[in-house]
Amino acid sequence: MSKRASSKHKIDRRLGENLWGRPKSPVNKREYGPGQHGQRRKGKVSDYGTQLRAKQKLKGYYGNISEKQFRKIYADATRRKGDSSENLIGLLETRLDAIVYRAKFVPTVFAARQFISHGHIKVNGRRVNIPSYQAKVGDVIEVKEASRQLTIVLEATQLAERDVPDYIEVDHHKMTAKFARVPALADVPYPVQMEPNLVVEFYSR
């Protein structure tokens, strides 16, 4: 598991956006950047700067994925048929930590990564402890029976701040989720605007 270098609140403040749409985000109160010069008026951002920011937002949203891992996902997306930016989103959403988060088994994508690595998740009846595991359409993801009464799980299923998207079929009584289909960009419930096309432009420079 790759180490996360910065907290989710720091990521929010650095980017100036509430990436996960959470009510406790510091951006809700302070929309400017951190530090002594955070409130200074920003100059015009270059094309490179816009593309870099789009990449940082997408990387940050999925738990601040390492650059090496993210570049590998991008390379896979460009090798596949069809639109590279749509492929990129599809690959990110098939990650096991993303599905566990989307299914509302845990409150955050960071918690999803830890939850999986601690062995609380099964895929098709077998324990999987790799957060970046790539799920396939039809896979059934479940919380291990001994872990279903954990406080973090019980609280997450009651969260009103987000809904389960329709490409994941969830049964919160059995604590199972079926990955029904690979989503397109328009299907993914991002709280902020994501621009994967700019990420593709960034790497293809």
Side-chain angles (χ1 to χ4, degrees), residues 116-129 144:
I116 295 163
S117 63
H118 286 185
H120 297 295
I121 291 292
K122 288 181 177 181
V123 179
N124 300 328
R126 297 180 64 182
R127 196 181 74 152
V128 176
N129 61 0
K144 203 170 64 173

Side-chain angles (χ1 to χ4, degrees), residues 73-94 134 182-185 196 200:
I73 294 168
Y74 161 76
D76 193 359
T78 55
R79 277 196 301 268
R80 298 184 178 216
K81 289 181 181 178
D83 188 297
S84 295
S85 59
E86 290 284 352
N87 292 344
L88 179 63
I89 295 299
L91 285 168
L92 288 167
E93 285 293 309
T94 57
Q134 217 80 41
V182 178
L185 173 60
V200 172

Side-chain angles (χ1 to χ4, degrees), residues 171-203:
D171 184 335
H172 280 143
H173 295 293
K174 295 180 180 177
M175 295 306 288
T176 62
K178 183 180 178 182
F179 189 56
R181 61 183 174 84
V182 178
L185 173 60
D187 301 323
V188 183
Y190 293 118
V192 296
Q193 186 182 2
M194 292 295 182
E195 299 164 300
N197 57 309
L198 295 180
V199 179
V200 172
E201 287 175 19
F202 176 87
Y203 282 119

